[in-house]
Amino acid sequence: MSTGLIIALIVIVAVAVVALLVLRARGPRHGGGLKRRFGPEYERAVARHDGDTKAAERELAERVERHGGLRVRSLEPAEREGYEARWTAAQERFVDAPRDAVAEADRLIAGLAAARGFPADGQYEDQLAALSVHHAHRVDGYRRVHQAARAGADGGTDTEKLREAFVEARALFEDLVGPPSRHEAGQHRAATATGSGHRTPSLFHRRQTKES
């Protein structure tokens, strides 16, 4: 083997090694960024793709590309008060009609999201994907209340599961009913999520008292 051929092979191998190192360096940063942004949604995407992280990251990256630039509109004070009043009414209705209350919470979040500029409430999957980009740490509440509403309509969900779905959905409602600045900062406000549901347990406590 000539010296020139040996040098050429060495160069080819070196280039391949460098390219591999670059790809490995880019991969974790990209995946790590998506994992930080989406939090629990990242894990759900991986599970949905049977552990294939690359497929999950492609899906999440596509969501960001489609919905990352979405501009959220403000609610007028009267609109905000109207949504809050409707949520309170649904919450109180849970005492006597939990399935109806959960169905109303599902409709309310869908309509509120549409009013804020997310895809229209007739496009659940697209709306959920957009919400996951901007409210990744809250969006599962909407998913759960939507599933509970559908199952509840068929009589297939017990009251405790309906209650859990209703309570979890409130965190996303609180984010959506607030102003845009609060919306943008809402993805990592765990303390606010804990405090926002303080009225709900008292409602369900009243339900237990009534049943007893």
Side-chain angles (χ1 to χ4, degrees):
M1 184 180 294
S2 68
T3 302
L5 182 57
I6 293 173
I7 293 173
L9 289 174
I10 292 173
V11 170
I12 292 172
V13 171
V15 169
V17 169
V18 169
L20 180 61
L21 291 174
V22 169
L23 287 174
R24 285 184 176 178
R26 288 179 177 176
R29 283 202 301 269
H30 178 65
L34 289 171
K35 191 170 186 177
R36 286 190 298 274
R37 175 168 190 160
F38 282 94
E41 282 296 300
Y42 180 93
E43 302 303 332
R44 290 186 190 95
V46 171
R48 188 166 53 253
H49 288 279
D50 299 321
D52 187 341
T53 56
K54 292 187 181 300
E57 287 168 6
R58 282 196 298 271
E59 177 191 328
L60 296 176
E62 288 172 2
R63 291 192 206 178
V64 173
E65 184 176 353
R66 289 183 61 193
H67 304 294
L70 184 147
R71 298 184 63 180
V72 181
R73 66 169 288 266
S74 299
L75 294 177
E76 297 294 332
E79 286 182 289
R80 182 174 296 109
E81 291 173 5
Y83 281 112
E84 289 174 341
R86 287 176 60 191
W87 185 272
T88 299
Q91 185 170 268
E92 292 174 350
R93 190 178 185 187
F94 191 97
V95 175
D96 297 312
R99 289 182 174 82
D100 291 344
V102 166
E104 172 61 12
D106 178 38
R107 290 191 294 269
L108 182 54
I109 291 177
L112 176 56
R116 294 304 303 271
F118 290 90
D121 50 337
Q123 306 170 38
Y124 169 72
E125 293 295 340
D126 201 32
Q127 189 180 68
L128 189 73
L131 286 167
S132 75
V133 173
H134 297 271
H135 296 274
H137 292 259
R138 305 285 189 268
V139 71
D140 194 50
Y142 180 29
R143 180 184 289 114
R144 287 191 63 183
V145 85
H146 182 77
Q147 292 170 349
R150 294 183 64 185
D154 299 326
T157 302
D158 62 39
T159 302
E160 178 59 21
K161 290 189 181 299
L162 292 171
R163 185 194 68 81
E164 292 173 356
F166 195 105
V167 170
E168 187 173 349
R170 185 178 180 89
L172 178 62
F173 173 82
E174 290 285 352
D175 272 4
L176 289 174
V177 84
S181 58
R182 185 180 171 199
H183 162 86
E184 292 165 0
Q187 294 189 22
H188 302 289
R189 291 178 302 136
T192 300
T194 301
S196 64
H198 72 280
R199 291 184 295 272
T200 302
S202 63
L203 166 72
F204 298 119
H205 176 71
R206 292 206 310 273
R207 179 176 182 275
Q208 292 172 356
T209 303
K210 181 175 180 179
E211 290 179 345
S212 63

